[in-house]
Amino acid sequence: MISRIMHHAAMHCRRQKGRLNMRLPISRTLRRNRNLIICFTLIILIVDAVFLAINYVSLKETLYSSLLQQSRRHQDEFKLNLKMAYSSMLQISTMITSSSGLGQSLLNEEEKKAAVGKPEQVPPLEGQDSTASARRKTYQFGSMENKPNQLSTQQNSYNWLRGVSPVWAVDPATQEKVYVGSLEVSTSFKEIVQLYSKLFRVDAAVLLSRDYVRSKMWNSATKAYFERHPEANHYVEVSTSWEMLQKMLPRLFVKENYQTDKVELFFENSKYYSVYYFPLLDYQMAADEDPYADPVGFLLIWEDVSDQLARSATNFLVNIILAVLAVVFIEAGLLWILNRETRLSVAEQCAAVDELTGLFNRRYLDDMLDNELNRAEKSRDTPLSLIICDVDYFKRYNDTYGHKTGDECLRKIADCLRQQARRSSDCVARYGGEEFVIVLPRTDLNAAMDIAETTRKAVASLGIPHASSDILPVVTITLGVACTAHLAEYDSLFEAADRHLYLAKNRGRNRVEPERVSLPARRTGA
């Protein structure tokens, strides 16, 4: 776009063989605007990148926070199920023991055992006589090895939740109420976890520590498991998905205290799963809610969260699209503004250019000269010089060679004058017709006269034929010079230079006026 603007400006400000003045800051303005576009684009891209990074981190934190809250809610739900199961076991055992028939049956069985030998001693419940002889009955719901829903005197597996109630009976001999044993109603995790999984649509597994399992369960039950899994540190009591559990356990880092404050994400079978675990206490400690109890294992929960991740990814993709659209719209608006500003600047600068020669025109010269005169007046030690150039016998040249050749002659002279004004602060302008003006800030009279003499010789050395000239057979110029440091009172710089120009014409043309003054040439600045 900038190149198109530059081409448009060049075509607008010159004719087919004209050339734009290199001192004109059009190209500088275009480069400045191009640099502004690049800088603004980089800033916008950086801001967009920071926005997307912050947005990504925020979405990720929000997602993990949501998954953690969801997992903790599952934890609370499971603990509530445990409490309800324990309460149910206790209520069932209390309800059964409230029947007088059970107590009398146990008492009669004890009396029969006493008749044939010493009965088996079972530790009494807390608060009972330690010499009491009783038998503990166990009623297990869906245990691992016992037949479910059967009254048994043996326990071959570890039952997590137990409801134990004392059994009382009336002794026929003494008619006193005596403690004859206890009734235990228990269940294992298998039923609880499977029911929990169906209710809340999650997968779960109970893993007990090796040491705890060996101390609580029969060695025959644990031995077979650890022989099959020698690398295992935990005993898998139950799992709703053995396949997924075997894939996740090697990749999951479990802390020693089984406490975690974050969820893990696993990608398996084209799905994302959130994994969370929390400690499990012994059933009695869990019932008493002992905060200092050591955990005996942990519950592992995992669930499919692919939909949640897909929604989060969609939100992030929408933010990326919005960020890209924002960049596009901002860039388009910025380019439009800079394009408009550049065109206005180029149009304004082109209005200050002479279309034939590419030099500044009289309008620009008047404004520039006023500014330099004001600056020189404020700083009286800074001289300002002015050179007026006139092509000798140019009317004859046009009559002899034609106006088209005359225009080409003026272009060559303009190029030559431009080369003599080498500082960026110098200005060369076409004043009108065959007259040119050179403005030299921070240049005294002698330095200006040196430049004028060099310019006169340079134009003559071009060797442009001029058969109708009375001076030489080539085109020449006459120059008048003036400086603010050598002006008479109430005299203007332009009038003084113009007066010297006519003096040079009257003295034979192809010369510089005034004569050199007895002062060293001084020219300062860039």
Side-chain angles (χ1 to χ4, degrees):
M1 179 174 288
I2 295 296
S3 61
R4 291 202 303 269
I5 297 173
M6 185 177 293
H7 175 72
H8 172 77
M11 293 301 294
H12 178 72
C13 297
R14 68 184 180 183
R15 292 182 180 178
Q16 184 176 2
K17 293 186 179 181
R19 186 167 62 183
L20 190 63
N21 184 7
M22 297 305 294
R23 301 294 181 183
L24 190 66
I26 291 179
S27 59
R28 191 184 311 162
T29 301
L30 296 176
R31 287 194 300 270
R32 183 197 65 188
N33 289 347
R34 181 180 59 192
N35 293 336
L36 282 176
I37 291 176
I38 295 174
C39 290
F40 276 117
T41 301
L42 290 177
I43 291 173
I44 292 171
L45 290 177
I46 292 173
V47 171
D48 257 10
V50 172
F51 165 75
L52 289 176
I54 294 175
N55 185 261
Y56 173 77
V57 173
S58 177
L59 285 176
K60 185 177 180 180
E61 290 180 352
T62 302
L63 175 64
Y64 274 85
S65 176
S66 174
L67 294 178
L68 181 60
Q69 292 178 4
Q70 187 172 312
S71 298
R72 286 177 174 171
R73 186 168 62 250
H74 291 324
Q75 177 182 351
D76 294 337
E77 293 164 351
F78 187 81
K79 288 183 177 180
L80 180 60
N81 283 349
L82 286 182
K83 290 182 179 181
M84 293 177 63
Y86 176 77
S87 177
S88 298
M89 298 300 102
L90 189 58
Q91 289 178 11
I92 293 173
S93 66
T94 302
M95 180 184 66
I96 295 175
T97 56
S98 63
S99 172
S100 59
L102 178 61
Q104 292 300 128
S105 175
L106 291 178
L107 182 60
N108 294 335
E109 183 180 346
E110 189 66 23
E111 290 176 350
K112 291 179 181 180
K113 291 289 184 178
V116 296
K118 188 177 179 180
E120 180 183 354
Q121 298 293 327
V122 179
L125 296 180
E126 184 179 353
Q128 301 298 323
D129 185 0
S130 60
T131 61
S133 175
R135 179 174 295 278
R136 178 174 296 180
K137 295 295 184 180
T138 302
Y139 192 83
Q140 297 178 318
F141 289 93
S143 63
M144 295 174 61
E145 298 182 11
N146 289 4
K147 294 181 180 180
N149 305 333
Q150 295 290 323
L151 190 63
S152 174
T153 59
Q154 295 181 352
Q155 179 181 324
N156 295 325
S157 66
Y158 179 68
N159 298 297
W160 186 259
L161 296 175
R162 303 174 185 177
V164 183
S165 299
V167 180
W168 303 89
V170 178
D171 190 348
T174 62
Q175 294 298 313
E176 292 181 358
K177 189 177 182 180
V178 295
Y179 171 73
V180 295
S182 62
L183 178 68
E184 175 185 307
V185 179
S186 62
T187 186
S188 69
F189 264 120
K190 184 176 182 180
E191 285 71 27
I192 296 176
V193 170
Q194 289 179 350
L195 179 61
Y196 171 77
S197 176
K198 291 179 181 179
L199 287 176
F200 300 103
R201 298 179 181 178
V202 297
D203 286 305
V206 174
L207 294 94
L208 305 177
S209 67
R210 179 195 289 256
D211 296 336
Y212 186 78
V213 169
R214 285 181 179 271
S215 65
K216 294 293 183 178
M217 300 177 65
W218 297 111
N219 290 333
S220 59
T222 60
K223 183 179 180 180
Y225 177 83
F226 287 114
E227 286 179 352
R228 293 195 306 269
H229 308 283
E231 76 287 352
N233 293 322
H234 298 86
Y235 176 78
V236 181
E237 174 80 3
V238 62
S239 175
T240 57
S241 177
W242 281 91
E243 180 183 358
M244 284 297 299
L245 182 64
Q246 291 175 353
K247 292 179 179 178
M248 287 189 299
L249 275 181
R251 298 153 57 185
L252 181 67
F253 175 75
V254 180
K255 297 181 180 179
E256 292 183 359
N257 59 355
Y258 306 120
Q259 297 281 355
T260 184
D261 56 355
K262 63 179 182 178
V263 298
E264 300 288 343
L265 286 179
F266 289 97
F267 182 75
E268 195 67 43
N269 300 330
S270 302
K271 293 182 180 180
Y272 285 94
Y273 294 90
S274 69
V275 182
Y276 182 75
Y277 62 89
F278 59 89
L280 293 176
L281 304 178
D282 185 85
Y283 79 100
Q284 189 61 49
M285 294 178 179
D288 296 338
E289 296 184 353
D290 183 0
Y292 303 103
D294 292 330
V296 299
F298 65 95
L299 179 75
L300 187 65
I301 301 175
W302 66 94
E303 61 179 323
D304 184 2
V305 293
S306 301
D307 291 341
Q308 291 173 258
L309 263 69
R311 287 194 296 269
S312 182
T314 301
N315 292 336
F316 185 63
L317 180 60
V318 170
N319 289 333
I320 292 178
I321 294 175
L322 291 177
V324 172
L325 290 178
V327 171
V328 172
F329 282 119
I330 293 175
E331 282 292 305
L334 184 63
L335 287 173
W336 182 83
I337 293 173
L338 291 179
N339 183 15
R340 185 172 181 273
E341 179 186 352
T342 302
R343 287 181 179 274
L344 291 176
S345 178
V346 169
E348 180 180 352
Q349 294 175 13
C350 286
V353 176
D354 177 64
E355 294 187 5
L356 175 64
T357 61
L359 300 176
F360 290 113
N361 57 21
R362 181 170 180 173
R363 175 185 174 184
Y364 179 84
L365 174 66
D366 291 340
D367 293 339
M368 188 265 188
L369 191 57
D370 287 341
N371 293 333
E372 293 296 334
L373 287 172
N374 292 333
R375 188 178 293 110
E377 185 176 356
K378 292 178 182 178
S379 178
R380 297 185 180 275
D381 295 334
T382 304
L384 173 65
S385 296
L386 182 73
I387 302 175
I388 300 179
C389 312
D390 185 77
V391 180
D392 297 328
Y393 303 111
F394 188 71
K395 186 176 182 303
R396 295 183 185 179
Y397 187 91
N398 276 337
D399 294 340
T400 303
Y401 298 99
H403 288 280
K404 186 175 181 180
T405 305
D407 291 344
E408 183 62 29
C409 175
L410 291 178
R411 292 193 191 98
K412 292 180 180 179
I413 294 174
D415 291 340
C416 183
L417 296 180
R418 184 186 297 114
Q419 294 174 6
Q420 307 308 313
R422 299 175 181 177
R423 300 181 308 177
S424 60
S425 58
D426 297 342
C427 173
V428 181
R430 184 187 181 194
Y431 192 69
E434 67 273 16
E435 288 187 335
F436 300 90
V437 174
I438 304 176
V439 181
L440 304 171
R442 297 181 297 279
T443 306
D444 64 12
L445 183 59
N446 282 342
M449 291 178 63
D450 289 342
I451 293 174
E453 182 63 24
T454 302
T455 303
R456 182 191 68 79
K457 293 178 180 179
V459 172
S461 65
L462 292 176
I464 302 174
H466 192 348
S468 57
S469 173
D470 294 341
I471 305 171
L472 292 173
V474 295
V475 173
T476 58
I477 58 173
T478 302
L479 305 95
V481 185
C483 180
T484 55
H486 300 277
L487 291 179
E489 189 176 2
Y490 304 115
D491 198 3
S492 70
L493 182 65
F494 196 89
E495 289 176 353
D498 190 56
R499 188 168 56 252
H500 291 154
L501 174 64
Y502 279 96
L503 179 61
K505 286 184 177 182
N506 292 334
R507 291 183 177 180
R509 301 176 186 262
N510 191 25
R511 58 183 293 124
V512 177
E513 288 291 342
E515 299 290 344
R516 176 181 293 275
V517 298
S518 58
L519 290 173
R522 183 166 63 92
R523 194 174 190 223
T524 62

